[in-house]
Amino acid sequence: MKYLYILQQALIWILIVYWIYNLIIAFCALIKLKEKPLKINKKHKFMMLIPAHNEEIVIKNLIDSLKKLDYPDELYDIYVIADNCTDKTSSIAKECGAIVYERYDEKHKTKGYALNWFLDKIIKEKHDYDAFCVFDADNVVDSNFLNAMNKKLCQGETVVQGYKDIKNPTDSWISSGYALFYWTQHKFYHLARYNAGLSPLMNGTGFMVKFDVIKDTGWNTKTLTEDVEFSLINIAKGNKLGWAIDAIVYDEQPTTFGQSWNQRSRWTVGHIQIFKYYTKDLAKGVASYKTLTSFDGLVYIMCIPLFVISLLLMIVNFIMWLAEQMTFGRMMISIAVMLVLAYIVLAFSAVITLVVEKRSIKKMIKGILTYPFFMATWSVINFVCIFKIKRNVKWDKIEHKKDVSIDDIKSKQK
């Protein structure tokens, strides 16, 4: 039992150090930094890129919002990748003034494959764009988006994530859970790391990449979470990503548990793939660059092993109780502490985020009350995905039906 006790203590300290490390960095979100100085003063030329699969309901609102950007019309073009579409996405996009590339490949349907295919073509065609921005078809975009991204380019940043806000935060307890999760992540993960001089991560949509970053390698992702993968590829090379809080994109979130289960399962499988493919690269990055940024990227992909460690600790405690090396009360207290850290603290941090961001707590009260349960279901999803013998690595489309324009969103904010 001596060795079991040593294992128990080792697991406890691994979890304690992990939580303390993230808590310390989270406090950096409350620091106000001076604006970075401009290295150049230029209006860059942008490609606005929309991978879309059967998005005829929402694609028009996105293109309309992009056409209303407060940026010179001649300095950005709108491209749509009509990816395996069987509806009117392509024709609607053309009618709205977008340049449409149609792609058909039944075996490779993910957004990452669509970006690989399209950007390879664009690189070969040798266009004069300085950077490209990627959006999901259900997005609508704030008019200041390109001004904010242009400033980041002028400050010398090459890969920048914009602020992903939510179209439908109060539609259901599921969409409320997503909203609280993203708002909290934006504040206490991405902004905190940016303020601390570390690297935030891409967040699926509303990000900008300078073309020089991919000219030699292409987009070149292979997992189900191409955004995080591309982030970590750059971090492993010693590059930091930027964060643009005033480059705002509004995104539609799932409203049903079934949709959410499929999407979050895909994310978990994608993280498992990233852990498998990139742990060695990130470890090499830590050894080569010896920076906290590289180390922080390595810590991020440990979220899956940390979940397994938490489960293992519960099992060890249960065995020690059976062997009468731990009282039932102590075992239950240890489980309660883990649950408080995992769920109650997360709900508390979501409330703090609402207060700091001056968002309505009253409108989100139902979401706050159900948020611990929303996060608990994520643990179930992680468990199922990790311990499945055969994981589902198929990309399942989330149906987008929220027909909301940028003008609708702005009118609600007044």
Side-chain angles (χ1 to χ4, degrees):
M1 283 299 162
K2 176 183 175 182
Y3 296 109
L4 201 60
Y5 174 77
I6 292 171
L7 175 61
Q8 179 204 48
Q9 294 302 303
L11 296 175
I12 289 172
W13 277 105
I14 289 171
L15 293 173
I16 289 173
V17 170
Y18 176 79
W19 279 98
I20 290 175
Y21 171 82
N22 282 286
L23 186 61
I24 290 171
I25 294 176
F27 277 112
C28 294
L30 306 177
I31 300 171
K32 284 194 174 181
L33 299 179
K34 290 182 180 179
E35 278 279 355
K36 289 183 178 181
L38 301 181
K39 294 185 176 180
I40 57 171
N41 190 2
K42 173 187 174 182
K43 285 286 188 181
H44 294 87
K45 187 173 182 181
F46 291 91
M47 169 187 289
M48 315 304 275
L49 179 54
I50 311 165
H53 172 66
N54 289 348
E55 299 286 7
E56 63 182 6
I57 295 174
V58 293
I59 191 80
K60 183 179 185 299
N61 283 326
L62 171 56
I63 296 173
D64 285 348
S65 70
L66 290 173
K67 291 170 76 173
K68 293 177 182 177
L69 292 176
D70 182 21
Y71 202 77
D73 292 344
E74 69 274 12
L75 290 181
Y76 71 97
D77 294 311
I78 303 167
Y79 286 77
V80 171
I81 310 171
D83 191 28
N84 292 287
C85 290
T86 57
D87 67 352
K88 297 179 182 177
T89 297
S90 181
S91 59
I92 291 173
K94 288 175 183 176
E95 288 170 8
C96 291
I99 302 165
V100 178
Y101 280 57
E102 297 187 24
R103 172 182 179 267
Y104 296 96
D105 186 341
E106 284 294 321
K107 292 184 179 179
H108 304 98
K109 289 185 176 182
T110 68
K111 181 177 172 182
Y113 282 121
L115 289 172
N116 286 342
W117 174 85
F118 176 80
L119 290 171
D120 280 349
K121 286 182 174 294
I122 294 300
I123 290 169
K124 289 173 184 175
E125 291 172 8
K126 296 183 179 179
H127 291 270
D128 61 345
Y129 299 105
D130 296 298
F132 63 92
C133 302
V134 178
F135 306 94
D136 286 342
D138 61 293
N139 297 159
V140 289
V141 183
D142 183 78
S143 61
N144 189 54
F145 184 89
L146 273 186
N147 283 319
M149 287 302 187
N150 185 67
K151 182 194 287 186
K152 290 297 179 181
L153 275 179
C154 290
Q155 290 170 340
E157 297 189 351
T158 57
V159 182
V160 182
Q161 174 63 53
Y163 189 94
K164 184 166 78 170
D165 211 334
I166 311 301
K167 273 186 185 178
N168 57 332
T170 59
D171 279 6
S172 72
W173 71 276
I174 290 290
S175 65
S176 292
Y178 276 101
L180 292 171
F181 173 75
Y182 278 120
W183 292 337
T184 305
Q185 283 283 95
H186 293 344
K187 189 72 178 178
F188 292 109
Y189 187 91
H190 300 295
L191 179 61
R193 276 159 174 76
Y194 187 66
N195 286 351
L198 302 176
S199 183
L201 301 173
M202 283 183 178
N203 218 343
T205 188
F207 58 83
M208 183 270 295
V209 180
K210 190 174 181 179
F211 257 107
D212 290 348
V213 174
I214 65 157
K215 274 185 177 175
D216 294 333
T217 60
W219 180 255
N220 199 28
T221 60
K222 56 188 176 185
T223 72
L224 291 177
T225 46
E226 74 290 326
D227 51 344
V228 176
E229 180 184 359
F230 188 78
S231 304
L232 294 174
I233 288 171
N234 280 276
I235 291 171
K237 294 176 180 177
N239 302 327
K240 292 180 184 177
L241 280 67
W243 177 251
I245 196 169
D246 48 352
I248 303 171
V249 171
Y250 297 90
D251 191 42
E252 181 184 344
Q253 299 305 320
T255 56
T256 67
F257 186 72
Q259 287 181 326
S260 177
W261 180 281
N262 290 336
Q263 185 183 65
R264 289 185 286 163
S265 294
R266 174 168 57 85
W267 291 347
T268 296
V269 172
H271 277 73
I272 294 170
Q273 292 173 326
I274 286 171
F275 178 76
K276 176 182 176 181
Y277 296 137
Y278 294 104
T279 300
K280 186 184 292 185
D281 290 343
L282 286 162
K284 285 180 180 177
V286 173
S288 299
Y289 301 105
K290 296 179 176 61
T291 64
L292 189 57
T293 300
S294 302
F295 174 76
D296 189 62
L298 188 61
V299 169
Y300 176 81
I301 65 168
M302 291 297 137
C303 57
I304 295 296
L306 262 293
F307 177 78
V308 176
I309 285 173
S310 300
L311 295 177
L312 182 58
L313 178 58
M314 290 188 192
I315 293 170
V316 168
N317 286 343
F318 183 71
I319 293 172
M320 290 181 72
W321 171 67
L322 288 178
E324 299 184 348
Q325 298 298 307
M326 173 184 274
T327 65
F328 181 77
R330 277 188 62 196
M331 183 182 72
M332 295 308 296
I333 288 171
S334 70
I335 293 173
V337 168
M338 291 176 69
L339 292 176
V340 166
L341 285 174
Y343 305 122
I344 306 303
V345 169
L346 286 173
F348 181 66
S349 64
V351 174
I352 292 175
T353 302
L354 293 176
V355 173
V356 173
E357 296 288 302
K358 297 180 181 178
R359 296 182 184 269
S360 172
I361 292 179
K362 183 178 179 181
K363 288 181 180 178
M364 294 301 297
I365 192 68
K366 191 181 293 185
I368 293 168
L369 294 175
T370 57
Y371 190 54
F373 182 70
F374 175 82
M375 297 305 292
T377 62
W378 214 325
S379 295
V380 176
I381 289 168
N382 287 343
F383 183 89
V384 170
C385 291
I386 290 169
F387 294 104
K388 258 187 177 180
I389 295 174
K390 186 176 180 181
R391 299 185 185 99
N392 179 17
V393 295
K394 189 181 78 169
W395 175 75
D396 293 311
K397 173 180 164 54
I398 300 295
E399 295 293 335
H400 296 125
K401 299 179 180 179
K402 196 75 175 178
D403 187 15
V404 176
S405 70
I406 189 66
D407 293 330
D408 293 332
I409 290 175
K410 291 300 181 184
S411 64
K412 287 182 181 179
Q413 292 176 340
K414 290 179 181 179

